[in-house]
Amino acid sequence: MKATDISNPDYFHKVVDCQWACPAHTPVPEYIRLIAAGRYTDAYMINWHSNVFPGILGRTCDRPCEPACRRGRVEEQPVAICRLKRVAADYKEDISTRLPPVPRKKNGKHVALVGGGPASLTVARDLLPLGYEVTLFEKDRKSGGAMRTQIPRFRLPEEVLEEELNYILDMGVNCRFGEEITSMRELLEENFDAVFVGTGAPLGKTLDLPGYQESRENVHTGIEWLAGVAFGHITSIGRKVIVLGGGNTAMDCCRTAKRLGGEEVTVAVRSGFDEMKASPWEIEDAQAEDIPILNFHVPKRYIHENGRLVAMEFEKVRREFDANGKRLLVPTGDAPVIIRCDDVLCAIGQENSFPWVERDLGIDFDQWDLPVLDKRTFQSSNPKVFFGGDAALGPDNIITAVAHGHEAAVSIDLFCSEADVQQRPPPETLLQSQKMGIHQWSYDNDISIELRHAVPHADKSRTLKDLNIEVELGFDQRLAYEETMRCLNCDVQTVFSDNLCIECDACVDICPTDCITFTRNAEEATLRQQLIAPATNTDQDLYVSGELKTHRVMVKSEDLCLHCGLCAERCPTSAWDMRKFLLNTAKAGSPCQKP
Amino acid sequence: MTYIRKPKFANPHIRSNDLGLTHRDYEGSLTTLCGGCGHDSISAAIIQAAVGMSLPPHRVAKLSGIGCSSKIPAYFLSRSHGFNSVHGRMPSVATGANMANKELYFLGVSGDGDSASIGLGQFCHIVRRRINMLYIVANNGTYGLTKGQLSATADPGSRTKSGEESQYDNIDMATLAIELGASFVARSFSGDKSQLVPLIQAGLSHKGFAFIDVISPCVTFNNTDFSTHGYKNTWENYQALSSIDYVPMRKEITTSYGAGEDKEITLHDGSVIHLHKTGSDYRPEDRDNALSHISDYRKKGKIATGLLYINQDQADFHELNDSVDKPLNTLASSDLCPGNEVLQSINETFR
Ligand SMILES: Cc1cc2nc3c(=O)[nH]c(=O)nc-3n(C[C@H](O)[C@H](O)[C@H](O)COP(=O)(O)OP(=O)(O)OC[C@H]3O[C@@H](n4cnc5c(N)ncnc54)[C@H](O)[C@@H]3O)c2cc1C
Ligand SMILES: Cc1ncc(C[n+]2csc(CCOP(=O)(O)OP(=O)(O)O)c2C)c(N)n1
Ligand code: SF4
Ligand code: SF4
Ligand code: SF4
Ligand SMILES: [Mg+2]
């Protein structure tokens, strides 16, 4: 293998598994250390710069970082990264003085944002400090998008939502709430310098089965129903409720129904339990509220009496695989299952919909009716129009919408400065030695061996009675500290200087997880096998040095490195050093940007 | 923040042995030696050797004298027996322990100061007495623990970090051991575990007195470009007379070697070593041949390493003295005090 090029920022970035997996690339271990130090406000600001909504995301994020977290490979469970983010938000002080100043003198450019969800708001936040004028069109009377209309208040309290929306709105967004954009042509005619579309994926689906027409009144689209609840239009539901679907929307529907008077709420899923799309923790929370989830139940018809829905019929299936390994759901032949109900909530998916975008404006759409976009710049085939969030690539999550928003803001800024949108500014990186003394580091390398700490919940006898009582209580400061100690500081990189190495084996001998081997060089596949501990996880890189005096190379498998620094402590020549790698993705107006 | 305990987390891909133990189970406490000290690599090599042979830790007795090198038994096999004795006196303690229980594996670890200076007399006699053990000298040409004085193994002209130059001829421990009748003598380098580990395994399997002189640089006091025991000189000048593989007795032997290139030696416990020739006409069973090779290499400024000498036909101390078969602590009082009748019959023989 060729010697590893550690000057490529991707190399060390990838070692920080959580940051690499985070769509917005939040510097996770950096904020975790600040929480450990009790510097909640600083930890919050790191988050705020990267992911814009730390308090919201600290409660609701899909947390792609956690399955990626190295700790999950070293022991059973990842660090509770997401809930630590909430800790920063819960215990921070006033941040108003830390927000970026917005110049009174504008730069003369005016950008329209359609839709007031996280994608658009991120664009607004990134562009306002640069002097842009920003006008936000939102069909609802309030901003927040699905964060307000879909996510129930028992997961995301109103004050948390308002606080973080207001940080942005107060920067000087021209809010045109209650205004639905019904024609892109007309919007373009208003001569904005750029238009950003962040309208989400607003179209829910219902299940049209026999008996649907007669039962319509009590068969609801999950996302519309949740929005109705959020705005207070819907305040009750029947005693018996069936929720169809196995995703997060289904979990929010069933838990909300339970709080609006649903006494017998049942979730029915077509496929197997293990195939459910909902996040494991959402499923756990629903089950903790005594909501049964029936798997392998395929809905067949709505049963109605006297023009009213009374039950649903299901066919039981089992999973089989055909010759090509394709999964099939085959009827078991058991008698159909009839479940009585007063209401059905369909949580079986949502779609994008752009009836208001005329098709002769140079904005191309693909076969799924999604806009054709450059995946890096989020520019559509009409160079003035950008898309982001669920509107760009279909329904996803908040943090992805934020990541799109950042990239789109960079693009819009480049576009408005008549620069090439493809010339993206590089990330800001810093690689800094943590050495303080022979065996002293400026980070705490003595990691805890404790298992993941659970977040305490409020008593369900209380929470099930009131839609607005938050279920999760969050970590207190002591528990938060204990949890921070589980983080392995993956950003504190092991940096090797081959010219200093005397091949004494001290690092090899001390390494608790056998990451380091001195060996003859070979092709990657061979090299992976000839290490002291074979490196079978090919998602994780090998760090290969230049040739050493004995014609061998140092090979380090990054997979299970604990970043404990012992290799560097034992190294007599400082050929190993522990250096903190800090990476911030470039935001709009980055100083590295070419003029 | 400083000198943390070694984290408990281990790599799940490391191999475990027939006892279901991994090398993490053979560790000791965290080393207190200087980072980069060759002695730590010897600890690691001993651990690897023990895992590979599936040595039950409680069947091992670790013995040492005084010195940085003599501290290392604390850093491996924490579940074994251990005795850290007086400076240069490990051989006496080892002899006594071996007398008391001949069923244990005895592993002595000493330094060049401990064995070639203050303990030279003891060393000579334990070799001569053919105690069944593996005796390792971690040889750095200096007294590390007392801050870097030249030791008796330092080659003439070799210089320490303080600039002191060795004036006298050096004692070559391997040569000395061969001359005094050791039946297994090897030399190796802490930096080359591929050689050191099988030598340790073979030395532990060998019946009789086994000795390994391990060049083990002292990074702090004797690792200059002018030190013959430093990393630089050793990497550049050590030459293996043959390379060695060790196959524990339980393992089936699957590799076959071309005639003439390879020598297969079955040890007393049934394990096998393979010696692959590296060019010279080296014959490890031939004592004079071994001695002449060592001095020839030395004249060229080279260090001869590998298995230098082996003699499997020598009776060890217990055989020569027809000692009791069992460990003393397993003898019942009826064995120890067989009664008046036996005493009378013994007395009869003196009349
Ligand atoms: C039930 C449910 C629960 C969810 N839970 C989570 C969760 O826990 N965590 C998570 O990360 N994600 C969750 N999501 C997904 C997440 O909410 C979305 O991915 C995210 O909000 C998308 O952001 P966005 O800015 O692209 O669009 P949205 O948040 O959908 O905002 C779009 C906005 O545009 C407005 N709009 C649409 N068309 C027009 C128009 N023509 N003119 C003016 N305004 C318009 C809409 O009213 C809306 O306010 C959930 C989704 C659902 C349905
Ligand atoms: C009776 C006695 N004399 C002297 C000493 C001081 N002393 C301690 S260690 C040592 C030399 C150790 O050298 P070596 O065996 O080569 O070990 P190293 O530290 O080099 O590994 C000496 C002289 C002592 N501890 N006891
Ligand atoms: S251990 Fe810490 S730094 Fe490493 S991936 Fe997990 S949260 Fe990130
Ligand atoms: S920091 Fe060094 S010693 Fe610690 S696990 Fe990583 S490679 Fe091993
Ligand atoms: S002084 Fe020398 S021998 Fe002793 S621990 Fe340090 S490097 Fe090793
Ligand atoms: Mg010494």
Side-chain angles (χ1 to χ4, degrees):
Chain A
M1 280 180 82
K2 280 224 282 300
T4 303
D5 176 13
I6 58 167
S7 67
N8 176 352
D10 276 357
Y11 183 76
F12 283 144
H13 187 182
K14 220 179 141 190
V15 174
V16 196
D17 294 296
C18 48
Q19 185 175 10
W20 180 256
C22 173
H25 302 306
T26 306
V28 174
E30 179 77 356
Y31 82 68
I32 290 184
R33 281 190 298 271
L34 288 170
I35 293 173
R39 290 169 57 185
Y40 305 111
T41 316
D42 293 331
Y44 183 85
M45 291 318 292
I46 287 192
N47 275 289
W48 191 80
H49 283 289
S50 304
N51 54 51
V52 191
F53 303 105
I56 296 172
L57 287 165
R59 292 165 165 86
T60 63
C61 189
D62 255 357
R63 357 172 171 163
C65 53
E66 292 192 13
C69 170
R70 173 176 310 251
R71 182 90 187 192
R73 300 197 295 278
V74 170
E75 48 121 320
E76 289 153 36
Q77 295 245 48
V79 176
I81 302 171
C82 183
R83 287 340 185 224
L84 286 173
K85 189 191 308 294
R86 170 177 171 174
V87 167
D90 283 358
Y91 297 105
K92 69 178 184 305
E93 289 156 7
D94 178 26
I95 64 152
S96 48
T97 55
R98 300 207 188 196
L99 296 172
V102 176
R104 215 165 297 152
K105 191 170 169 318
K106 298 295 166 191
N107 69 359
K109 304 285 178 184
H110 195 170
V111 177
L113 309 175
V114 189
S120 291
L121 291 169
T122 301
V123 177
R125 193 207 67 176
D126 285 359
L127 294 182
L128 284 163
L130 305 181
Y132 283 82
E133 211 175 318
V134 171
T135 299
L136 175 71
F137 298 93
E138 165 56 57
K139 74 172 157 58
D140 291 332
R141 289 183 324 279
K142 288 177 170 177
S143 68
M147 301 191 297
R148 181 189 298 278
T149 63
Q150 300 298 311
I151 299 179
R153 292 294 76 88
F154 57 84
R155 286 208 289 127
L156 174 59
E158 175 106 31
E159 8 12 303
V160 177
L161 178 68
E162 293 296 353
E163 176 189 327
E164 291 187 337
L165 294 175
N166 286 338
Y167 290 143
I168 301 170
L169 299 180
D170 293 348
M171 288 167 92
V173 180
N174 308 325
C175 297
R176 308 227 334 226
F177 293 162
E179 260 183 67
E180 177 165 2
I181 300 296
T182 49
S183 162
M184 179 64 107
R185 184 187 313 281
E186 286 170 23
L187 186 67
L188 288 175
E189 279 164 7
E190 288 188 40
N191 276 330
F192 288 101
D193 294 287
V195 171
F196 177 81
V197 180
T199 49
L203 212 61
K205 291 191 238 175
T206 45
L207 201 56
D208 190 0
L209 294 172
Y212 175 61
Q213 287 307 327
E214 294 82 347
S215 318
R216 269 183 97 144
E217 203 154 303
N218 296 93
V219 179
H220 318 274
T221 312
I223 62 169
E224 279 165 19
W225 183 78
L226 285 171
V229 174
F231 283 113
H233 309 318
I234 296 171
T235 51
S236 67
I237 194 161
R239 213 171 57 75
K240 294 182 178 152
V241 181
I242 298 177
V243 177
L244 301 177
N248 285 336
T249 306
M251 298 303 109
D252 281 339
C253 284
C254 66
R255 296 178 71 194
T256 303
K258 191 102 185 176
R259 285 163 171 77
L260 290 193
E263 285 166 23
E264 287 173 33
V265 181
T266 309
V267 178
V269 191
R270 293 168 56 92
S271 57
F273 200 74
D274 51 345
E275 293 166 272
M276 282 175 66
K277 287 217 191 80
S279 314
W281 53 89
E282 304 256 341
I283 299 174
E284 275 166 31
D285 288 349
Q287 288 176 322
E289 292 175 359
D290 307 315
I291 299 170
I293 300 175
L294 307 176
N295 66 351
F296 294 125
H297 277 61
V298 176
K300 281 296 173 192
R301 63 186 180 104
Y302 300 99
I303 303 173
H304 48 91
E305 279 167 17
N306 309 324
R308 228 193 125 71
L309 175 74
V310 292
M312 262 204 105
E313 181 183 313
F314 294 89
E315 178 178 56
K316 282 178 83 177
V317 293
R318 64 166 177 267
R319 181 166 36 195
E320 279 181 13
F321 295 92
D322 72 5
N324 302 320
K326 193 173 162 247
R327 189 212 60 162
L328 306 171
L329 294 175
V330 186
T332 58
D334 292 339
V337 178
I338 311 283
I339 301 177
R340 301 202 64 82
C341 62
D342 303 311
D343 286 286
V344 169
L345 299 172
C346 296
I348 53 170
Q350 60 189 108
E351 282 171 354
N352 295 62
S353 143
F354 299 99
W356 55 280
V357 181
E358 294 83 352
R359 300 300 147 117
D360 59 353
L361 302 170
I363 306 172
D364 297 340
F365 283 82
D366 66 15
Q367 59 194 103
W368 300 281
D369 221 26
L370 284 172
V372 176
L373 302 174
D374 181 306
K375 295 275 180 298
R376 234 155 65 97
T377 64
F378 294 92
Q379 194 174 37
S380 74
S381 47
N382 178 334
K384 221 182 189 187
V385 180
F386 300 80
F387 287 75
D390 287 0
L393 304 173
D396 208 332
N397 54 35
I398 302 168
I399 189 67
T400 305
V402 168
H404 291 183
H406 284 315
E407 287 305 319
V410 170
S411 303
I412 291 170
D413 184 39
L414 290 169
F415 176 74
C416 290
S417 343
E418 280 160 40
D420 180 358
V421 292
Q422 294 294 343
Q423 294 292 315
R424 317 295 288 175
E428 288 170 31
T429 60
L430 192 75
L431 191 63
Q432 205 171 41
S433 178
Q434 301 297 290
K435 202 174 179 101
M436 309 252 290
I438 300 181
H439 303 120
Q440 267 190 315
W441 306 102
S442 53
Y443 72 107
D444 186 357
N445 56 343
D446 196 3
I447 43 148
S448 131
I449 57 165
E450 277 176 39
L451 297 178
R452 183 178 169 120
H453 302 87
V455 176
H457 281 200
D459 194 43
K460 88 180 153 190
S461 62
R462 246 161 47 79
T463 58
L464 285 179
K465 287 202 192 87
D466 186 341
L467 199 57
N468 295 316
I469 296 183
E470 189 175 17
V471 172
E472 286 194 13
L473 297 173
F475 286 133
D476 61 24
Q477 298 188 5
R478 189 193 57 83
L479 216 50
Y481 175 79
E482 302 287 334
E483 187 63 20
T484 61
M485 289 294 107
R486 296 181 67 241
C487 173
L488 302 172
N489 304 290
C490 302
D491 59 339
V492 181
Q493 307 284 348
T494 55
V495 181
F496 184 72
S497 310
D498 43 34
N499 58 322
L500 294 177
C501 175
I502 57 168
E503 300 179 65
C504 69
D505 263 9
C507 53
V508 178
D509 296 337
I510 198 73
C511 179
T513 44
D514 296 279
C515 304
I516 306 169
T517 308
F518 287 86
T519 180
R520 293 266 160 192
N521 206 342
E523 285 304 307
E524 178 164 353
T526 320
L527 214 45
R528 282 180 175 277
Q529 285 309 315
Q530 84 196 25
L531 303 184
I532 293 177
T536 49
N537 179 359
T538 48
D539 292 342
Q540 291 282 322
D541 287 338
L542 298 183
Y543 180 0
V544 181
S545 76
E547 194 171 273
L548 300 167
K549 288 173 205 86
T550 58
H551 306 297
R552 300 180 299 174
V553 285
M554 184 291 301
V555 184
K556 180 194 166 208
S557 165
E558 298 286 7
D559 188 16
L560 297 167
C561 173
L562 305 173
H563 299 263
C564 64
L566 283 176
C567 49
E569 283 194 24
R570 299 304 300 162
C571 180
T573 63
S574 296
W576 285 106
D577 191 20
M578 304 306 291
R579 297 192 192 152
K580 184 169 85 179
F581 176 76
L582 194 60
L583 178 143
N584 281 301
T585 56
K587 306 287 183 313
S590 153
C592 309
Q593 189 171 308
K594 291 203 195 96
Chain B
M1 225 155 277
T2 147
Y3 258 151
I4 58 170
R5 276 159 306 163
K6 186 161 167 172
K8 288 223 163 53
F9 297 125
N11 190 317
H13 306 295
I14 50 175
R15 285 166 267 269
S16 53
N17 64 13
D18 294 344
L19 303 174
L21 303 176
T22 72
H23 70 81
R24 297 296 311 265
D25 300 309
Y26 287 84
E27 282 175 355
S29 54
L30 189 73
T31 174
T32 57
L33 303 185
C34 309
C37 176
H39 302 348
D40 278 334
S41 292
I42 299 177
S43 293
I46 291 170
I47 290 171
Q48 281 180 31
V51 189
M53 298 169 77
S54 300
L55 275 192
H58 67 286
R59 305 301 305 151
V60 180
K62 313 173 287 184
L63 305 131
S64 63
I66 296 293
C68 298
S69 36
S70 291
K71 284 168 72 179
I72 68 168
Y75 313 138
F76 58 80
L77 273 68
S78 58
R79 293 189 242 175
S80 298
H81 309 279
F83 198 112
N84 184 212
S85 77
V86 189
H87 201 15
R89 269 59 183 163
M90 179 265 276
S92 308
V93 178
T95 306
N98 185 277
M99 290 305 87
N101 188 344
K102 61 193 212 179
E103 285 182 356
L104 297 179
Y105 287 92
F106 289 91
L107 173 60
V109 180
S110 173
D112 45 329
D114 197 57
S115 285
S117 295
I118 192 170
L120 186 64
Q122 296 238 333
F123 176 75
C124 293
H125 287 288
I126 197 169
V127 179
R128 189 175 157 273
R129 282 186 185 137
R130 308 180 187 178
I131 299 299
N132 182 9
M133 72 179 298
L134 170 61
Y135 194 117
I136 292 176
V137 164
N139 185 352
N140 52 16
T142 186
Y143 301 167
L145 193 70
T146 51
K147 308 270 175 284
Q149 300 80 1
L150 284 163
S151 83
T153 62
D155 303 84
S158 179
R159 259 192 281 151
T160 63
K161 188 175 169 191
S162 64
E164 193 186 359
E165 184 172 322
S166 181
Q167 313 281 353
Y168 310 107
D169 276 340
N170 65 302
I171 296 175
D172 184 303
M173 303 282 293
T175 306
L176 188 62
I178 296 174
E179 283 178 341
L180 291 168
S183 49
F184 177 111
V185 177
R187 177 144 45 216
S188 190
F189 170 35
S190 63
D192 184 3
K193 292 201 190 70
S194 65
Q195 182 190 52
L196 180 55
V197 172
L199 283 174
I200 292 172
Q201 293 174 322
L204 285 167
S205 291
H206 176 76
K207 181 180 71 69
F209 187 81
F211 175 72
I212 310 178
D213 175 29
V214 186
I215 296 166
S216 176
C218 169
V219 276
T220 303
F221 298 114
N222 198 20
N223 190 34
T224 66
D225 286 357
F226 317 101
S227 160
T228 50
H229 283 80
Y231 280 106
K232 184 168 181 289
N233 183 65
T234 315
W235 276 123
E236 283 169 6
N237 293 307
Y238 90 106
Q239 281 183 4
L241 293 176
S242 56
S243 70
I244 176 168
D245 279 337
Y246 173 87
V247 187
M249 65 180 154
R250 280 173 297 275
K251 297 270 173 350
E252 210 182 324
I253 297 161
T254 49
T255 348
S256 62
Y257 301 91
E261 297 168 2
D262 184 60
K263 185 179 274 298
E264 187 177 295
I265 302 175
T266 305
L267 302 171
H268 278 272
D269 68 355
S271 56
V272 173
I273 52 177
H274 290 269
L275 298 178
H276 317 290
K277 283 197 185 162
T278 50
S280 66
D281 62 339
Y282 191 67
R283 299 189 302 283
E285 288 99 337
D286 181 336
R287 193 166 140 150
D288 295 335
N289 184 268
L291 291 170
S292 65
H293 266 82
I294 296 172
S295 73
D296 288 351
Y297 272 68
R298 189 181 156 70
K299 277 179 216 145
K300 290 183 273 177
K302 300 289 174 195
I303 309 159
T305 66
L307 178 59
L308 304 172
Y309 175 64
I310 185 165
N311 172 4
Q312 293 212 86
D313 303 326
Q314 197 187 57
D316 76 350
F317 183 92
H318 284 285
E319 288 165 337
L320 290 174
N321 290 284
D322 195 17
S323 64
V324 208
D325 291 341
K326 290 193 288 181
L328 301 188
N329 62 2
T330 62
L331 297 179
S333 54
S334 57
D335 299 323
L336 295 169
C337 182
N340 194 29
E341 233 170 81
V342 180
L343 178 64
Q344 293 312 326
S345 68
I346 293 173
N347 283 345
E348 211 47 48
T349 63
F350 294 115
R351 288 190 208 280

